[in-house]
Amino acid sequence: MELHATATRLALPDLQPGPEPLLELGTLFEVSEALASAPRLGEGVARAMQLLRRYPGALRGSLTLLDEETGELYIEGALNLPEAGRHARYRLGEGITGEVVASGRAIVVPDVEQEPRFLHRTIRRVPEPGRAISFVCVPVMVDHRAVGALSVDVANWPEGERPHLLKFLHVVSALVALRLKTQRPLEAENRALRRELFERYDFGHLVGASGKMRDVLAQVAQVAGTATTVLIRGESGTGKELIAHAIHYNSPRAQGPFIKVNCAALPETLMESELFGHEKGSFTGALARKQGRFELAHGGTIFLDEVGELSPATQAKLLRVLQEREFERVGGSAPIRVDVRVIAATNRDLEGAIGERGFREDLYYRLNVFPLFLPPLRERKPDILLLADHFVGKYARAHRKQVTRLTTPAIDMLMRYHWPGNVRELENVIERAVVVAETDAIHGRHLPPTLQTPEEQADGAGSLKAAVSRLETDLLVDAIKTTRGSVADATRLLASTERIIRYKLRKYGIDPARFV
């Protein structure tokens, strides 16, 4: 692609080091230090570009990078650009910057007013009378591929000074490329992890079709977009933490931290320090200042699981945080203000605890702004099969098994059970069944003995005859179901004779017509 005659395309100049300040070792050291020490690449580039002020006539500069997902060029860091100009975008090959990234070669525009392809997208350059503004743009190369461009505007640029500034920009772009090469894999990993979190905790991934669960999901959708304090109630194992995740990752605070605290896991003596932090020397073993969970959750959400287990002293401090949004570290006196959304969960009867003076009434009303009640699994029977199928797929992938389905007898056993451990117990049962299954289906024999009804257990807890009957019934029902009621096909599937199969069907009261 040919460029207008007023623009000059340059490769990396092969020059001897000159005495110019921009090429001094100290300056390059400062540039590398700025790029290496900054937490974000854009901040490091902005600091490094401040060094351009040492060059006479330097006006402004920018680092433009290629967005791999959109294919557009965006400004990552800049010097002396207006805020509106920092939002400029280019396509590959568009304008001088797009051409540099597309070709991987530097371009010098001696006078931007004379270059028709110069877009003035970031700022309208208006030179003083008799003073030209030049534009210098060099590519940022990673693994022999241009991934961005570094550019600078210079006023009254003497031709003899050009090689030194070019060489400086090439060295700076090489330092930027080094930072990108080490940073981008981590950024890609972080983006992938965040996408996984959003997908995992999206409302569509919360399994439940029963009326009670649909009501819960509707309430979650209502409260997620607000900053309201939420109290999630429900028995152990009903999925309170999963709901808390869904609220956070579908809220305006989704980009902020999500900090979890199990209030029943730590003794009272450590809980206050865990929540609010401590100062050095505040107690034996406090060898350094420590930030508490509330500080770590600033700008995001803190999830207080088993909040009903907090001691009265810690409840009083939590009440102050909810009221004032501030606290002091253990051993400290300076108040610390935080912007944190609180989601709490408990399986305790808080109203009963208030009556027994085990839980503060004022804290209860502060937490109970938006209550969510998760029904136990025994009250949402339609969801059992949906959840079981979900867990079959999940653990088949995790354990690299070919299990794809549940047989009818296995489904019947799941539906009859009362599930005192709720969804967590169901998940454990299905994982065990997937592990022990030797075919593509989970049969009744793959489920634990605890899922047997009392009648079944009494009929044959230690009886070989009863165990054989259950196994034969399981196999027969699965075969007839698979062959859609065809006794002949079921016979071939079970490698038996049709006479034996029909006899067994009559014996166990299985009607093939039900499965047609």
Side-chain angles (χ1 to χ4, degrees):
M1 183 184 297
E2 292 299 324
L3 196 63
H4 194 273
T6 56
T8 308
R9 199 185 311 232
L10 298 172
L12 175 62
D14 184 16
L15 301 173
Q16 296 298 318
E20 286 72 11
L22 286 174
L23 293 178
E24 291 179 356
L25 183 59
T27 301
L28 293 177
F29 174 76
E30 291 178 56
V31 171
S32 63
E33 190 177 50
L35 289 170
S37 62
R40 291 182 62 255
L41 177 61
E43 296 174 13
V45 171
R47 295 177 194 173
M49 283 191 165
Q50 297 295 327
L51 300 170
L52 290 174
R53 296 181 184 277
R54 300 178 183 178
Y55 189 88
L59 299 175
R60 64 191 65 87
S62 65
L63 170 67
T64 308
L65 295 180
L66 178 64
D67 187 327
E68 301 288 354
E69 295 183 359
T70 66
E72 290 186 326
L73 299 167
Y74 66 96
I75 295 177
E76 175 68 19
L79 170 69
N80 292 345
L81 278 185
E83 189 61 33
R86 294 171 184 260
H87 299 294
R89 294 288 187 273
Y90 302 89
R91 294 188 297 273
L92 280 176
E94 183 181 32
I96 302 300
T97 302
E99 170 64 14
V100 168
V101 179
S103 66
R105 298 179 66 84
I107 294 178
V108 172
V109 179
D111 186 351
V112 297
E113 288 291 299
Q114 302 301 317
E115 174 53 61
R117 293 195 61 197
F118 199 83
L119 302 179
H120 297 278
R121 188 165 289 175
T122 56
I123 187 174
R124 180 66 194 180
R125 285 122 172 121
V126 182
E128 297 178 8
R131 302 182 66 184
I133 295 178
S134 302
F135 182 77
V136 190
C137 190
V138 300
V140 176
M141 307 292 292
V142 174
D143 295 331
H144 309 290
R145 173 174 168 265
V147 297
L150 188 67
S151 62
V152 63
D153 292 5
V154 186
N156 291 333
W157 194 22
E159 190 169 344
E161 299 287 341
R162 295 177 185 177
H164 302 302
L165 179 58
L166 269 172
K167 190 166 188 179
F168 171 74
L169 291 179
H170 274 291
V171 173
V172 174
S173 75
L175 293 172
V176 171
L178 182 62
R179 170 74 186 259
L180 281 172
K181 194 168 183 178
T182 57
Q183 174 176 302
R184 283 200 162 181
L186 180 60
E187 289 180 342
E189 182 180 342
N190 288 340
R191 285 196 300 269
L193 178 59
R194 187 160 291 277
R195 277 198 303 271
E196 181 182 342
L197 287 172
F198 273 94
E199 290 171 0
R200 181 178 178 184
Y201 298 114
D202 180 73
F203 293 151
H205 288 71
L206 295 177
V207 180
S210 62
K212 289 188 176 182
M213 201 59 193
R214 284 199 302 267
D215 291 342
V216 169
L217 296 181
Q219 293 177 62
V220 170
Q222 288 176 332
V223 78
T226 71
T228 301
T229 301
V230 179
L231 179 61
I232 307 174
R233 310 283 295 270
E235 295 179 7
S236 179
T238 51
K240 296 186 289 294
E241 184 176 331
L242 188 66
I243 293 295
H245 274 98
I247 292 173
H248 171 73
Y249 285 107
N250 289 275
S251 75
R253 296 172 178 263
Q255 300 297 328
F258 181 81
I259 304 297
K260 296 181 286 186
V261 183
N262 189 326
C263 301
L266 291 172
E268 179 183 346
T269 53
L270 295 179
M271 181 54 67
E272 185 177 344
S273 170
E274 190 68 22
L275 289 176
F276 309 115
H278 61 251
E279 297 289 349
K280 180 179 179 180
S282 57
F283 54 85
T284 303
L287 303 179
R289 171 185 287 180
K290 175 187 174 181
Q291 286 186 318
R293 299 295 183 93
F294 270 94
E295 279 185 86
L296 296 174
H298 181 69
T301 302
I302 188 168
F303 175 53
L304 303 175
D305 197 10
E306 304 297 345
V307 71
E309 306 301 323
L310 287 176
S311 67
T314 308
Q315 289 179 34
K317 288 184 174 289
L318 177 58
L319 177 64
R320 183 193 169 194
V321 177
L322 293 174
Q323 290 175 333
E324 309 294 338
R325 299 294 171 178
E326 70 176 25
F327 59 90
E328 291 92 30
R329 297 192 186 101
V330 176
S333 58
I336 300 171
R337 294 196 62 81
V338 288
D339 173 23
V340 175
R341 180 186 194 169
V342 176
I343 300 177
T346 184
N347 58 8
R348 284 191 65 186
D349 175 13
L350 293 185
E351 293 81 3
I354 292 171
E356 298 171 359
R357 298 189 178 277
F359 199 82
R360 294 180 63 109
E361 187 174 9
D362 46 4
L363 177 59
Y364 169 76
Y365 289 117
R366 281 288 179 181
L367 292 173
N368 200 42
V369 178
F370 193 99
L372 275 172
F373 292 88
L374 294 188
L377 190 57
R378 62 182 174 274
E379 294 180 8
R380 40 185 292 215
K381 289 285 187 179
D383 295 336
I384 292 176
L385 186 54
L386 289 175
L387 288 163
D389 284 337
H390 170 74
F391 293 137
V392 166
K394 174 182 176 179
Y395 289 109
R397 291 189 297 271
H399 298 295
R400 299 182 179 179
K401 301 292 289 285
Q402 300 301 314
V403 181
T404 59
R405 63 192 179 91
L406 293 149
T407 63
T408 299
I411 292 173
D412 291 341
M413 291 172 65
L414 294 177
M415 296 301 292
R416 286 195 301 262
Y417 189 56
H418 58 289
W419 298 109
N422 292 296
V423 179
R424 186 182 295 123
E425 184 183 9
L426 173 61
E427 182 173 5
N428 293 340
V429 164
I430 296 299
E431 181 178 11
R432 175 191 180 277
V434 169
V435 170
V436 302
E438 68 281 354
T439 64
D440 67 339
I442 292 176
H443 296 268
R445 63 181 182 275
H446 298 138
L447 301 177
T450 53
L451 265 67
Q452 306 293 332
T453 63
E455 293 79 6
E456 289 172 322
Q457 292 175 348
D459 181 48
S463 167
L464 175 62
K465 181 179 179 181
V468 171
S469 297
R470 287 196 297 271
L471 177 59
E472 286 185 338
T473 301
D474 190 350
L475 292 173
L476 286 167
V477 169
D478 187 43
I480 290 295
K481 182 179 178 182
T482 301
T483 60
R484 297 182 179 276
S486 172
V487 177
D489 290 342
T491 298
R492 286 190 290 272
L493 188 63
L494 295 173
S496 183
T497 65
E498 188 168 339
R499 184 183 66 80
I500 292 176
I501 295 300
R502 289 190 180 278
Y503 167 74
K504 296 289 185 182
L505 291 174
R506 288 194 301 271
K507 176 181 177 181
Y508 297 119
I510 302 171
D511 182 8
R514 290 173 45 210
F515 303 95
V516 176

